[in-house]
Amino acid sequence: STGGDPTGTGKGGESIYGKNFEDEITTQLKHTGAGIISMANSGPGTNNSQFFITCGPTPELDGKHTIFGRISSGMKVIQRMNLVQTDASDRPLSEIKIVKASVY
């Protein structure tokens, strides 16, 4: 599941750090399973406002995307979001919004 695009275009928006910001990748954090929250990017140093939440192990993303969190509760909601039908460009056919989130 990908989110964080205030423009609604799928291209992302500007972060609080500006247009793009550098990766903060560490070898100690890995995409080991469902619920890992990472920055989406289009290559090194291209982070902006978009992020994704894994729905299973994705080791091919290790070293390419900055991990900055993990879902601590509500994973069933993430799984349901992942089931929403998408178009040919992988965009949801129904709008999905994260209305409330807590940081621990």
Side-chain angles (χ1 to χ4, degrees):
S1 299
T2 302
D5 181 9
T7 68
T9 64
K11 296 178 181 177
E14 194 168 291
S15 79
I16 62 171
Y17 304 110
K19 178 90 174 118
N20 289 326
F21 61 94
E22 291 299 313
D23 299 315
E24 296 180 24
I25 295 172
T26 174
T27 57
Q28 294 147 338
L29 298 175
K30 307 229 183 255
H31 297 87
T32 56
I36 304 294
I37 310 170
S38 293
M39 292 305 301
N41 63 44
S42 58
T46 61
N47 299 293
N48 55 35
S49 65
Q50 290 183 287
F51 63 92
F52 61 88
I53 303 169
T54 61
C55 292
T58 50
E60 66 276 13
L61 302 177
D62 293 345
K64 297 177 184 172
H65 296 273
T66 301
I67 296 172
F68 67 93
R70 179 175 211 126
I71 302 296
S72 61
S73 65
M75 198 55 208
K76 288 202 183 293
V77 174
I78 303 301
Q79 291 167 338
R80 287 180 49 207
M81 288 169 57
N82 199 46
L83 295 175
V84 171
Q85 284 188 310
T86 57
D87 64 16
S89 298
D90 205 28
R91 294 176 53 92
L93 296 178
S94 305
E95 185 177 57
I96 300 172
K97 286 187 178 183
I98 298 174
V99 178
K100 182 180 177 185
S102 299
V103 178
Y104 297 99

